[in-house]
Amino acid sequence: MNNQPENLMVLDLDALASNLDYTKHRAGSEKRMIASIKANAYGHDVSLIAGALHEKRVDMLATGNIDDARILRACGVDTPLLLFAYATAENTVNAAKEGFISTIPNLTSAISLDAMTSVPIPVYLKIDCGLGRLGAPLSIAKDFVTKVFQLKNLKIEGIYTHVPFSDVASSPWAQGKLDQFDKLVEELESNGYSIPVTQAMGSCCVLAGLRDKSNAVCVGHALYGLSPFSSEQASTAQHLRPVVHSVSSTLIHIGHHKKGSDIATGGLYGTESAHNVGVIPLGLAMGMRAPIGNKEMVVLVKGKRCQIMAVSLEHITINLDNVENVDIGDRVTIIGREGDESISLQELACVWQVTPLQALMSMSGRFSVRSI
Ligand SMILES: *Cc1c(COP(=O)(O)O)cnc(C)c1O
């Protein structure tokens, strides 16, 4: 008896390495690589992913979550770690003591942080090029950066912005933002303010082939084989390989229901024919969803596509009428390949009418995760 967990996600770390190589190639080998591992590495498992990226010697890892940063240090990952999010001044001082680099998004936070420490703290400054989220707006960015340079306890190690877009047609808009950011950095430099790391391009800019003068890129989506673009433009990302190799569960029950019996949840009352059904211990609580509209959700059992009859809080009921010799303990593939049949993350997300990333986020942290 092997002790395979009931619910398992298997990652393909070779695909991660291949996506990293492809992304570096697209960005240009002279660029430093900052790998975004926020949100549990986009739902994949932050420890496994960061461990693999550390071995591949990316220049820096970036996350919004200090707990994740601590987990990585505890696993021996000593790649420099950037925190995307800003915390309170006190927590930022503590983060610096633990060796993490924090992001400063505005002058008020910079001033209070400077006042709270007597040892210099390394920071990255965030500029908002039009996303309207964190960062000093471009219009006041020069003033912001020069004022932070005057604060004696903050050591500016990097400056960055984020220019995401989901439609390739927005490339000229994004290129314009990159150009504005380049201009800001050039102006700062010509005034004697030199910053070691500069970064503006994420997956969409790199995959769309945009160009800038920054010396680093910060990439998430592309590393995981996820297209940052809406699906009809997926060809822009066709060289990427999915890092999720499979998501599977285990049959814990098989039932034989006569014609006219009730199979509940989803409302199959008084079925028109007899059914064999299987149950897996995976439901809404683990990020599964019911299919939307008239879409059909299927799983693979013994290499056959089998339709889902009901998704409940902690279980999914599967129609096993197509399958022979099936037993309790058999694997059920939610994403992955069995023989000639396969179900992609894309297909599952389409049945749920969400994006592949949204599908991953709902499953994030709910599976035992291993690499192939
Ligand atoms: C998430 C994030 C990135 C990476 O974006 P992708 O589209 O996943 O490549 C880059 N920069 C910042 C500031 C981010 O928050």
Side-chain angles (χ1 to χ4, degrees):
M1 178 89 190
N2 67 15
N3 58 355
Q4 180 109 276
E6 278 83 10
N7 298 326
L8 181 66
M9 180 184 282
V10 177
L11 303 184
D12 180 351
L13 297 179
D14 286 345
L16 179 72
S18 150
N19 296 337
L20 176 64
D21 287 346
Y22 178 69
T23 309
K24 278 183 177 165
H25 162 76
R26 291 288 301 198
S29 56
E30 72 286 0
K31 301 267 194 205
R32 293 179 210 209
M33 175 60 67
I34 305 173
S36 169
I37 51 159
K38 64 188 169 199
N40 193 27
Y42 294 52
H44 288 71
D45 186 273
V46 72
S47 304
L48 272 178
I49 295 288
L53 292 170
H54 169 66
E55 277 175 25
K56 286 274 155 196
R57 309 211 168 281
V58 297
D59 297 287
M60 185 175 241
L61 296 169
T63 176
N65 185 324
I66 191 162
D67 293 328
D68 280 355
R70 289 183 178 129
I71 290 171
L72 299 184
R73 283 291 186 261
C75 312
V77 172
D78 60 3
T79 306
L81 266 161
L82 172 68
L83 299 175
F84 279 135
Y86 178 74
T88 59
E90 200 177 356
N91 287 340
T92 305
V93 171
N94 290 332
K97 283 186 188 147
E98 293 178 64
F100 307 134
I101 300 168
S102 289
T103 296
I104 304 292
N106 59 63
L107 189 59
T108 310
S109 300
I111 292 170
S112 56
L113 180 60
D114 181 66
M116 187 154 287
T117 173
S118 50
V119 281
I121 286 189
V123 294
Y124 274 42
L125 303 184
K126 175 107 191 242
I127 307 303
D128 173 12
C129 279
L131 191 59
R133 202 171 55 187
L134 282 180
L138 256 180
S139 54
I140 60 157
K142 205 167 139 195
D143 186 52
F144 164 61
V145 178
T146 50
K147 286 198 168 122
V148 180
F149 261 102
Q150 316 312 321
L151 301 172
K152 68 176 191 310
N153 295 323
L154 302 192
K155 191 165 164 271
I156 303 173
E157 293 196 340
I159 184 168
Y160 71 100
T161 189
H162 192 31
V163 189
F165 55 98
S166 59
D167 183 341
V168 178
S170 303
S171 295
W173 169 85
Q175 185 64 60
K177 298 291 177 190
L178 297 178
D179 295 346
Q180 284 174 305
F181 185 73
D182 282 343
K183 188 158 162 269
L184 167 70
V185 174
E186 269 166 9
E187 277 178 25
L188 288 166
E189 270 174 5
S190 63
N191 291 339
Y193 299 104
S194 171
I195 305 178
V197 178
T198 56
Q199 180 268 316
M201 297 214 288
S203 297
C204 44
C205 294
V206 171
L207 294 174
L210 305 189
R211 287 285 160 228
D212 74 349
K213 295 187 175 137
S214 286
N215 59 18
V217 296
C218 177
V219 177
H221 278 78
L223 297 182
Y224 306 100
L226 297 167
S227 171
F229 304 116
S230 42
S231 56
E232 63 273 22
Q233 296 163 329
S235 66
T236 359
Q238 67 189 351
H239 297 283
L240 302 173
R241 288 164 51 189
V243 171
V244 173
H245 176 263
S246 64
V247 170
S248 64
S249 186
T250 310
L251 281 176
I252 55 164
H253 175 77
I254 293 177
H256 307 282
H257 299 287
K258 293 198 190 84
K259 175 176 178 205
S261 56
D262 296 336
I263 300 176
T265 311
L268 284 177
Y269 304 107
T271 53
E272 284 174 16
S273 56
H275 286 299
N276 290 332
V277 304
V279 179
I280 52 176
L282 191 60
L284 298 173
M286 298 82 170
M288 296 294 110
R289 296 162 187 237
I292 301 285
N294 56 5
K295 304 231 187 241
E296 201 171 87
M297 181 174 162
V298 295
V299 293
L300 303 179
V301 185
K302 303 226 136 191
K304 296 253 165 60
R305 289 172 86 86
C306 298
Q307 203 180 329
I308 294 299
M309 300 178 91
V311 181
S312 55
L313 277 176
E314 294 185 324
H315 299 102
I316 286 178
T317 310
I318 305 161
N319 182 333
L320 292 179
D321 291 343
N322 281 340
V323 205
E324 281 163 21
N325 298 325
V326 61
D327 276 320
I328 290 171
D330 284 344
R331 294 306 291 168
V332 173
T333 297
I334 289 100
I335 296 171
R337 172 170 289 282
E338 284 190 20
D340 293 338
E341 293 288 356
S342 68
I343 299 168
S344 65
L345 169 63
Q346 187 79 39
E347 177 181 341
L348 182 64
C350 179
V351 167
W352 290 343
Q353 291 201 3
V354 296
T355 65
L357 182 57
Q358 285 168 332
L360 279 173
M361 288 321 308
S362 60
M363 292 187 266
S364 177
R366 270 118 172 206
F367 287 75
S368 294
V369 186
R370 292 183 186 166
S371 59
I372 302 176

